[in-house]
Amino acid sequence: LNILTKLMTKLTTFLLLCFVVLACNTKPNNSSTGIKTEQTPQTSLSSKEIREVRTRFDSLMLLVKQFQETEKHDSIIKYLHESLSLAQLLNNDSLLAKVYINLGLYSDNMAEYNLEVEYYYKAFELFQKINNYSGSALALNNMAWGYIQAYDYQKGIEQARLGLNLAKNITT
């Protein structure tokens, strides 16, 4: 048990270091960082419909944030899945990744660690697709934490290392 406690302490320190490195290397809207804030959606919706769907998406994500503080889990999952559908309708990978990150966070709160890892992996793939390296590193580090909580320490360490290496390669 003492060895496990030391391993968890070292791993937690390592993950915190990953997040610090990631945070220090992030500059919003700077193309040299590999961060893309938004993509132009390729959809058959009219401009007005896109605005309406995006407004609904943003409203739902605000509701999710508010309900997380009250722990209304049924409402949270309902709004996240509706947000997912809207992001898919908009064909917007950035928004999809955002929803998957939130679904991963929710799954973590509900101790559904395998589902958490799946959501973070989907977010990672989307961040990779749109060349959002800081988002990719975040998703990898979140996956690492999910694996650790599921007692798969080897995979957790592996994902944390990948996330750290990716974060190190983000130019400032």
Side-chain angles (χ1 to χ4, degrees):
L1 186 62
N2 192 20
I3 294 172
L4 183 59
T5 303
K6 287 181 181 178
L7 176 65
M8 288 299 295
T9 302
K10 286 183 180 183
L11 195 50
T12 302
T13 304
F14 180 74
L15 288 172
L16 287 173
L17 176 64
C18 291
F19 290 122
V20 169
V21 168
L22 181 62
C24 291
N25 285 311
T26 302
K27 288 184 183 177
N29 300 322
N30 184 340
S31 61
S32 68
T33 63
I35 299 169
K36 288 190 176 181
T37 56
E38 210 51 52
Q39 71 189 54
T40 305
Q42 301 295 321
T43 180
S44 60
L45 299 175
S46 70
S47 295
K48 180 182 178 187
E49 291 170 322
I50 290 172
R51 281 191 306 276
E52 289 172 356
V53 171
R54 180 56 196 258
T55 300
R56 176 74 177 147
F57 175 88
D58 291 339
S59 297
L60 287 169
M61 294 306 287
L62 285 172
L63 285 171
V64 166
K65 186 175 182 176
Q66 288 179 336
F67 280 123
Q68 283 175 337
E69 296 170 10
T70 63
E71 297 186 17
K72 293 186 178 184
H73 302 296
D74 291 340
S75 296
I76 293 170
I77 197 69
K78 174 187 168 192
Y79 293 140
L80 283 172
H81 283 286
E82 189 175 341
S83 297
L84 183 65
S85 295
L86 293 174
Q88 290 168 335
L89 180 63
L90 291 170
N91 195 27
N92 188 312
D93 292 332
S94 179
L95 296 180
L96 281 168
K98 179 179 181 178
V99 174
Y100 282 126
I101 288 290
N102 279 281
L103 282 165
L105 291 169
Y106 173 76
S107 299
D108 177 71
N109 290 340
M110 299 303 296
E112 295 177 10
Y113 304 123
N114 291 329
L115 189 57
E116 172 187 5
V117 169
E118 286 180 39
Y119 286 135
Y120 289 140
Y121 184 75
K122 289 178 180 182
F124 169 75
E125 288 182 316
L126 290 163
F127 284 133
Q128 287 289 101
K129 182 179 174 183
I130 61 174
N131 298 319
N132 182 330
Y133 305 116
S134 63
S136 297
L138 173 68
L140 286 170
N141 285 320
N142 288 354
M143 268 193 284
W145 186 244
Y147 280 124
I148 290 165
Q149 292 184 109
Y151 301 106
D152 192 341
Y153 301 113
Q154 190 62 37
K155 282 187 180 176
I157 291 169
E158 181 182 316
Q159 295 304 311
R161 284 188 178 141
L162 289 171
L164 180 61
N165 288 336
L166 187 56
K168 284 181 182 177
N169 291 324
I170 297 172
T171 58
T172 56

